[in-house]
Amino acid sequence: MTGPQRAFPVWDGVPGYEFESPRASRRPPADHPGTGPQATRGPVAPESEARRFRYTSTVSQPIPGPPSAWPGDEPAPWSRGEPAPWSSDEPTAPGFEFDAAGHRFGGAARRFDATGQPADRDRDRDRDPDPDRRSPRDARTEWARLLRSFLPEPVKRNWFAEFRSALHFRGAGVRVIIPILAMVMFGVAVAVIAGANSQNGPAPPPSALGFAPATLAGNAFSAAASGRGISQTLGPMTSDGAEIVAVGSQQGARIARAQFFVSTDDGRTWSMGHVRAPDGGPPPPGYAARFVAGGQGAWVAIGPASIWTSPDGRTWTLSSTVGLPLLPGDQISVVKRTAAGFIAAGSNVPGGNAAASTPVVFVSANGISWQRLGASQLRLGTSTAGNTAASTSHVLDIRYAAVYRNQILIAGDVSVIRNTRTKTTGMTSAAWLSDNGGATWTLAVPPGPAGISAPARHAAQAQAQISGVAVTADGFILLRPATVASTGARKPAVDVYRSANGTAWTFEATLAATAKAGFTTDMVNGSPDGAVVTGQAGPALIAFASADGASWRQTPAFGTAATQDVSGVAMAQGGTVVAAGTTTNDPDSRQPLLTVLAAPGAAPGAPQGSTQAAPQRVDIAKIPGAVDPELAVNDVAAGGGMQVAVGSANGYPAAWTSANGGVTWTQASGQTPAVLNRPGVQQLSSVTFGPDGWLAVGGVIAVAAQHPVVLTSGNGSVWGAADREPAFSQPGLVTEQAAAAPTTGYVIVGYQAVAGRTIAAAWYSAGLTGWQRAGDAVSGHGGPGALDGPGASRQMRAVTAGPRGFVAVGAVGNAPAAWTSPNGQAWTQQNVPLPVGATRAVLQHVASNGRTVVAVGTALTTTGQQLPFAATSADGGTTWTESALPVPQGRAFVTALASTGASTGTSSQFLATGTFGSTPGHQDVVVWTSATGSAWQAVTPSGQGLTGTGIQAITGLDVSDQTLTGVGFTATPGGEQPVFWQSPLR
């Protein structure tokens, strides 16, 4: 049985860009040998603050090979939000994720870099991947003919990013997408494509290879909608009258998805925005947005590798999978709607040197095409008459922006040399104004407190920084951190200044909850309906709101800083405040939060005479399409008169049993709760049946430290934990797949990360207990080191049992590899040739039928193409020849493999499933069949769960009683669920 090993991000991201941020990669450490709508002019642009992302040069740079598929690759960095780094730890994965861990500090906007982590200065501030056997010449001829059919285009993008954008699901880490020219399809319900070696036999008629559709099995394999195992986060938000839009992301399920939460009635009811590709079809997974701005008929949402546009805030089109025209070092802090279109601003940090950073601005008329303006074009001055110290200052960045009519106000940090002799520097802030769409700028607020200050009698002590800017119907407001007198040390507060034109400023108020608690600014936003500031008062999260910037009201506390992170706030009509955030108190589940704070007397059912409505928490689970439970069915096996499927449910390893051929399923339990209810997010990826019962293996996906998951059961219904035995106790171990033989017992294969490289690993047991780890193996030439010797990294990816013992496959360095063993204890490495024209290859699945062993995997060619291929051995795994797997259309990769001839007597002895498609967001199931394992034919079955909108995949296969059984999933931007597939073999 072949089951996928899901790659999963760590929970430290933001709602994100590729739905990933530094994630816990299941990939071993590296071996180091060698048109959107035109904007219309509006009176005031909505405001919002968001976290920051930055450019990562790998966005447009190819990498040598597929992460997770190759033993020598570096771990894929990935963060749990969709706005994480350009690839959030991974070399450009589409989409990103917001940091899962909440970060707070005293400022309205916090900047995040491409990895989803705080930008440099903020980080400092906090401290806080033998029949019909053909000759090698035949194989070379086949591969050469197939390769000549390709157009040798240069690689323009990171191919792993394209892979992940095409399919984000469990097991993606060890599977690859393969581009190939479209082949001719025929048939009505089923299209049969002749194999690459058509001379080896004619393709059978479609009726001979017809497959039944799959069954949607979300109810059969049930999981309570607890939210555990899912990282779902909300980012910034903006408003336009009664309409409010917040950007977010969900990951933890098989694919990552960008999300838009929309309310058109001041936050009273919510729905999910419709997302689509430019052609109207489903968009690829990931590509979540980090920032959103809009109104007056034009909206835009931006992520590190994405631009979404909308005419109304409700229907969103993924207009670009490249994003802004960033240069190395560029970081974005804020995006706003302007009278002329849109503006994005931030900084360029060369080589990560924060002290040498400079401001950067991007402007656009339609949200799709952007112009970059660097420091030399912006010419942001800091000097005014009488302010000679400003001549020694250096503008570092743009942190905030606000738009009032045709005026744009930006503010950022300025470094000032306070002592010219000692070169001592200090940090202050300044603001600049533009009335021509950002083409030119004039100094509006000079650096330091001399720029604008409160009256002399003012009790608060204002500081030299700016902590936010926003607008109301009357003009701009600007915030400065301050302190107020209290018992003992002074407490933090916020001074508010107001201006009708951005140049003449008047002190209006000091915001402080109480003298004892103080108030520290977090998020600032504004609109024609007023301005709102969120922050922390002691342990509580509160907000101050104002219709005009002069008179402010404090809202009731709507949460605590210890349990949630505020990521956005908006002011809707009538003074209603809506805050967005994400829970932070459960490491195994990050959940979105929307809180509505109605204006005094405006809440439905508010008591007569009440002055302040209680905060209303939006039930996210009641928003159609907003929430998916974490539920995956990865593999299936039959034995002992029953079937067992394994995967995960709510982030826990899970198994289900069926005694009626898959009609109904019952979830299994552990001998004790701790067997399955494990810390972190874990899964089972492979299951097998042997003489003593059932064996299932898997691993940690996120949160907890990586370690094997090995479960055993005599009856499939109650499971015990074998991974507590000493053989599985070393660090860095990964268990990939298990197999069982009638007389020699059980074997598990995988690998171990040791000192920057990987070594192959295997375990054996005569029964279900007493596990031992296999020692080093000998190579086919008799030398040592086939498992853990020096040199290239080694990984065992899959294993099968045959009449001569066990055969495992994987990779050694850049070459595919196989190992044989009579009993799982002593292994011999066998040479597997690289496919002709390939530079790297890995075998990912293996199956046997008598002495014939077949393995399938992925090869990378010299032109950057990724191709699915098969390797066949007629002598039980000792010698191998390779062959091509034809691809119906677009790109394809293999997801599962099974032997169909041993128990059924069918003419086709091997069957593999994969996924193919012309676009990343539309992938259907392809079935490859072969009578010998050498000549393959492709079939594209139709029907539910196999073809249709979104992504379909069969990830586990088993054959029993003349019936092929498969499990997998179907996923669209609106949700996903498991599928159960059965079809009679003919």
Side-chain angles (χ1 to χ4, degrees):
M1 286 12 84
T2 57
Q5 197 70 31
R6 174 172 68 162
F8 202 89
V10 270
W11 304 72
D12 63 352
V14 193
Y17 295 127
E18 182 201 319
F19 261 86
E20 308 184 17
S21 251
R23 86 167 147 188
S25 176
R26 291 193 50 84
R27 205 173 27 160
D31 177 39
H32 296 290
T35 100
Q38 291 293 327
T40 57
R41 182 184 182 95
V44 183
E47 306 296 321
S48 66
E49 277 303 340
R51 294 172 178 171
R52 178 178 195 171
F53 59 78
R54 73 180 176 194
Y55 167 92
T56 298
S57 60
T58 54
V59 171
S60 60
Q61 299 299 320
I63 59 176
S68 294
W70 317 113
D73 287 336
E74 294 286 349
W78 200 57
S79 138
R80 245 208 181 240
E82 270 286 311
W86 287 117
S87 328
S88 209
D89 259 347
E90 294 217 7
T92 337
F96 295 69
E97 295 195 353
F98 282 83
D99 294 352
H103 301 282
R104 306 187 60 77
F105 75 107
R110 187 167 195 179
R111 295 163 296 178
F112 281 68
D113 64 15
T115 62
Q117 300 301 314
D120 297 331
R121 287 188 302 282
D122 291 330
R123 191 179 296 115
D124 294 340
R125 185 178 303 162
D126 290 334
R127 303 291 185 197
D128 309 0
D130 102 357
D132 299 327
R133 180 176 167 192
R134 296 172 300 157
S135 69
R137 180 176 181 179
D138 295 331
R140 287 194 298 268
T141 300
E142 175 183 351
W143 274 92
R145 181 171 61 253
L146 184 62
L147 291 172
R148 280 197 301 268
S149 69
F150 299 138
L151 296 177
E153 297 179 355
V155 179
K156 296 181 181 179
R157 293 183 56 191
N158 177 313
W159 73 271
F160 181 56
E162 295 181 351
F163 156 70
R164 191 173 292 284
S165 68
L167 270 169
H168 261 330
F169 66 93
R170 295 176 178 79
V174 293
R175 288 156 176 81
V176 187
I177 296 176
I178 302 105
I180 193 172
L181 292 181
M183 296 185 175
V184 178
M185 295 185 296
F186 65 94
V188 179
V190 178
V192 179
I193 294 84
N197 275 345
S198 59
Q199 69 273 19
N200 285 341
S207 59
L209 290 173
F211 293 101
T215 300
L216 301 183
N219 293 326
F221 300 99
S222 59
S226 68
R228 191 185 186 280
I230 293 291
S231 177
Q232 189 172 10
T233 53
L234 278 177
M237 62 197 321
T238 191
S239 62
D240 179 28
E243 184 171 9
I244 306 168
V245 177
V247 293
S249 67
Q250 175 183 303
Q251 86 155 36
R254 291 190 182 268
I255 69 169
R257 54 176 52 88
Q259 294 184 311
F260 296 86
F261 290 77
V262 182
S263 174
T264 58
D265 55 7
D266 297 323
R268 289 188 290 271
T269 62
W270 293 81
S271 63
M272 301 305 296
H274 174 66
V275 294
R276 64 187 185 186
D279 62 1
Y287 294 103
R290 176 71 63 82
F291 302 95
V292 61
Q296 303 295 318
W299 301 67
V300 69
I302 295 177
S306 63
I307 297 177
W308 297 81
T309 56
S310 175
D312 54 14
R314 300 184 292 276
T315 298
W316 290 86
T317 300
L318 182 57
S319 299
S320 170
T321 55
V322 175
L324 296 177
L326 303 178
L327 294 181
D330 282 355
Q331 301 180 356
I332 302 300
S333 298
V334 61
V335 178
K336 296 296 176 183
R337 176 79 161 90
T338 69
F342 300 93
I343 185 171
S347 62
N348 178 272
V349 185
N353 183 1
S357 66
T358 55
V360 63
V361 165
F362 298 82
V363 293
S364 174
N366 58 12
I368 302 176
S369 300
W370 293 78
Q371 178 186 4
R372 183 186 186 275
L373 303 174
S376 61
Q377 297 161 295
L378 294 172
R379 300 177 181 274
L380 300 180
T382 56
S383 299
T384 60
N387 184 17
T388 57
S391 62
T392 59
S393 63
H394 169 63
V395 181
L396 297 171
D397 57 26
I398 303 301
R399 296 173 62 89
Y400 315 103
V403 181
Y404 180 68
R405 296 178 181 170
N406 68 330
Q407 292 183 303
I408 307 172
L409 181 71
I410 59 175
D413 297 321
V414 179
S415 175
V416 177
I417 298 177
R418 301 193 185 280
N419 187 313
T420 56
R421 182 177 60 83
T422 63
K423 303 299 182 182
T424 303
T425 62
M427 188 72 70
T428 182
S429 299
W432 300 265
L433 198 66
S434 175
D435 60 4
N436 56 11
T440 59
W441 299 87
T442 59
L443 185 63
V445 178
I452 52 175
S453 59
R457 66 181 184 278
H458 180 48
Q461 294 181 357
Q463 299 173 11
Q465 287 76 37
I466 295 174
S467 57
V469 296
V471 298
T472 68
D474 299 321
F476 295 103
I477 64 167
L478 182 144
L479 308 178
R480 282 193 184 277
T483 60
V484 294
S486 178
T487 303
R490 297 178 67 87
K491 296 297 181 179
V494 178
D495 277 355
V496 181
Y497 300 82
R498 190 168 63 146
S499 174
N501 57 15
T503 56
W505 295 88
T506 303
F507 169 78
E508 295 291 350
T510 296
L511 308 182
T514 63
K516 182 178 181 180
F519 179 68
T520 302
T521 306
D522 188 3
M523 292 288 160
V524 182
N525 206 344
S527 73
D529 296 286
V532 57
V533 182
T534 66
Q536 186 173 340
L541 298 176
I542 65 171
F544 287 91
S546 174
D548 56 8
S551 177
W552 294 79
R553 60 179 173 87
Q554 179 182 333
T555 71
F558 60 88
T560 62
T563 61
Q564 70 183 83
D565 182 30
V566 178
S567 55
V569 65
M571 177 76 84
Q573 286 180 335
T576 297
V577 173
V578 181
T582 306
T583 59
T584 59
N585 58 329
D586 184 355
D588 298 334
S589 177
R590 299 257 302 163
Q591 298 299 308
L593 296 172
L594 285 170
T595 305
V596 179
L597 302 153
Q608 185 175 2
S610 64
T611 59
Q612 199 74 17
Q616 299 296 312
R617 183 67 54 82
V618 177
D619 190 340
I620 303 294
K622 292 184 179 180
I623 304 175
V627 178
D628 264 343
E630 194 285 312
L631 177 63
V633 184
N634 296 329
D635 198 17
V636 64
M642 66 188 302
Q643 290 174 304
V644 171
V646 298
S648 60
N650 294 318
Y652 296 123
W656 298 265
T657 64
S658 176
N660 53 15
V663 176
T664 59
W665 294 85
T666 302
Q667 189 166 355
S669 61
Q671 291 175 347
T672 65
V675 171
L676 297 177
N677 295 349
R678 298 171 174 232
V681 182
Q682 305 188 30
Q683 70 162 353
L684 293 171
S685 58
S686 171
V687 63
T688 190
F689 179 76
D692 287 355
W694 299 88
L695 169 64
V697 301
V700 174
I701 300 173
V703 181
Q706 176 61 52
H707 64 82
V709 176
V710 183
L711 304 182
T712 61
S713 176
N715 58 15
S717 297
V718 180
W719 294 76
D723 48 59
R724 297 168 182 166
E725 296 189 19
F728 302 104
S729 63
Q730 293 184 12
L733 292 174
V734 174
T735 47
E736 287 280 3
Q737 195 178 14
T743 59
T744 52
Y746 300 84
V747 163
I748 301 170
V749 300
Y751 55 86
Q752 182 179 16
V754 178
R757 58 188 295 271
T758 61
I759 60 175
W763 297 261
Y764 63 92
S765 174
L768 296 174
T769 60
W771 287 92
Q772 299 292 321
R773 184 168 174 181
D776 197 9
V778 297
S779 70
H781 301 293
L787 290 184
D788 59 358
S793 288
R794 300 163 174 83
Q795 296 177 27
M796 286 178 167
R797 290 293 188 175
V799 64
T800 187
R804 298 177 62 180
F806 297 94
V807 179
V809 298
V812 173
N814 292 333
W819 294 262
T820 59
S821 174
N823 52 18
Q825 303 176 33
W827 293 84
T828 300
Q829 182 184 328
Q830 310 295 349
N831 294 323
V832 181
L834 265 173
V836 174
T839 59
R840 307 181 79 178
V842 59
L843 291 172
Q844 298 155 289
H845 307 275
V846 65
S848 63
N849 184 10
R851 290 171 57 85
T852 302
V853 183
V854 170
V856 292
T858 301
L860 181 69
T861 73
T862 55
T863 60
Q865 305 270 355
Q866 302 126 50
L867 305 175
F869 77 104
T872 307
S873 174
D875 54 9
T878 302
T879 59
W880 297 79
T881 58
E882 80 284 348
S883 56
L885 294 178
V887 178
Q889 184 181 19
R891 305 173 179 181
F893 61 93
V894 185
T895 57
L897 173 68
S899 166
T900 62
S903 62
T904 65
T906 62
S907 58
S908 286
Q909 295 183 6
F910 297 94
L911 183 148
T913 57
T915 298
F916 79 98
S918 297
T919 65
H922 185 187
Q923 302 282 309
D924 293 333
V925 171
V926 57
V927 177
W928 291 283
T929 61
S930 176
T932 64
S934 298
W936 293 84
Q937 296 160 350
V939 180
T940 55
S942 63
Q944 179 178 259
L946 303 176
T947 185
T949 301
I951 299 170
Q952 286 70 225
I954 299 298
T955 60
L957 289 173
D958 184 60
V959 176
S960 178
D961 298 330
Q962 297 287 323
T963 300
L964 173 69
T965 299
V967 294
F969 69 92
T970 180
T972 69
E976 64 183 66
Q977 63 174 304
V979 298
F980 180 72
W981 183 44
Q982 284 191 319
S983 185
L985 292 172
R986 305 178 184 183

